[in-house]
Amino acid sequence: MEYDIANAKGSNNSEIIMNLSIYFFLLLVTVLSMDAFAAGLSYGVEKVWVPFSSLSIIALLSGGMLTASLFAGNLLLSLIPDRLTKILSFLELFLLALYKLYDAAASRRHQESGFTTGNLSRKINKDDKAVLSGREAAILAFALSVDNISAGLCTGTVALPPAAIFAITTLIHFLALRLGLFTGQLLASKSSRSFA
């Protein structure tokens, strides 16, 4: 009887830890997809047409790189002492948050130089300003995935199959980009002010 109770407590604890790690994973992917949202917002405001194929390329590449970096992170984290892993993970996510604050502040000031998501989006879309091509979408996906890769390497994976992780990360990036485009287009159509 005591053995059964101990086993039940152990399985409840592992289930709680797994649920927490899944919630953390979903929160992490959502935060990392904010660059895709900002890029979509930038294109929507500038009335750039982003075809479904380009949206899919960005989402698939972003999701794939995040998934690969999460699994590579498991290998790296197993080689580093546990305490150092926590310090490195905190520092990486802290620096990522600082960059997001810089990105938001620079966008608010309409800063035309610097490594911001909006500036990056404008520089990549050079061929036909009215349409984001598949090649430009691939370049944008790699540029947007820099923080995905670094966060994945410092975080490691959750207890989900690789296909599920890939599907979730891709879907969240796709939705963030689509929501950004929709919001940008809405802002551009509802206001006479030039947000671009």
Side-chain angles (χ1 to χ4, degrees):
M1 181 74 171
E2 287 177 16
Y3 179 75
D4 290 341
I5 291 170
N7 275 347
K9 284 182 180 175
S11 67
N12 284 343
N13 286 341
S14 65
E15 189 175 306
I16 289 169
I17 289 168
M18 187 173 123
N19 285 338
L20 283 175
S21 65
I22 289 172
Y23 293 135
F24 173 76
F25 165 71
L26 291 174
L27 178 64
L28 179 70
V29 175
T30 302
V31 168
L32 291 172
S33 70
M34 287 301 102
D35 273 349
F37 173 83
L41 184 68
S42 174
Y43 288 132
V45 163
E46 293 178 7
K47 299 178 181 173
V48 174
W49 170 247
V50 182
F52 182 79
S53 59
S54 295
L55 282 171
S56 300
I57 287 168
I58 295 169
L60 287 166
L61 286 175
S62 296
M65 283 188 274
L66 179 55
T67 302
S69 66
L70 285 167
F71 282 97
N74 274 353
L75 296 173
L76 285 177
L77 295 176
S78 66
L79 302 173
I80 300 171
D82 194 37
R83 181 174 240 165
L84 184 59
T85 299
K86 290 176 183 171
I87 292 169
L88 289 174
S89 296
F90 167 78
L91 285 174
E92 195 277 330
L93 292 173
F94 179 72
L95 291 172
L96 182 59
L98 287 179
Y99 167 72
K100 296 294 182 192
L101 288 172
Y102 158 76
D103 193 29
S107 295
R108 194 171 272 196
R109 288 192 312 265
H110 305 293
Q111 188 174 321
E112 291 300 322
S113 61
F115 191 69
T116 63
T117 306
N119 289 333
L120 191 61
S121 301
R122 281 187 289 279
K123 287 176 184 171
I124 287 171
N125 189 25
K126 286 182 176 177
D127 293 345
D128 179 359
K129 300 268 188 216
V131 179
L132 184 72
S133 70
R135 184 185 64 79
E136 292 165 337
I139 294 168
L140 180 63
F142 282 110
L144 293 177
S145 293
V146 170
D147 54 354
N148 288 1
I149 292 167
S150 57
L153 289 175
C154 288
T155 306
T157 58
V158 294
L160 288 171
I165 292 173
F166 175 70
I168 291 167
T169 56
T170 300
L171 178 65
I172 289 175
H173 278 83
F174 183 88
L175 293 174
L177 187 59
R178 194 68 201 99
L179 183 62
L181 279 166
F182 173 76
T183 306
Q185 290 163 353
L186 192 65
L187 280 173
S189 67
K190 298 286 183 188
S191 175
S192 57
R193 183 180 169 193
S194 175
F195 288 99

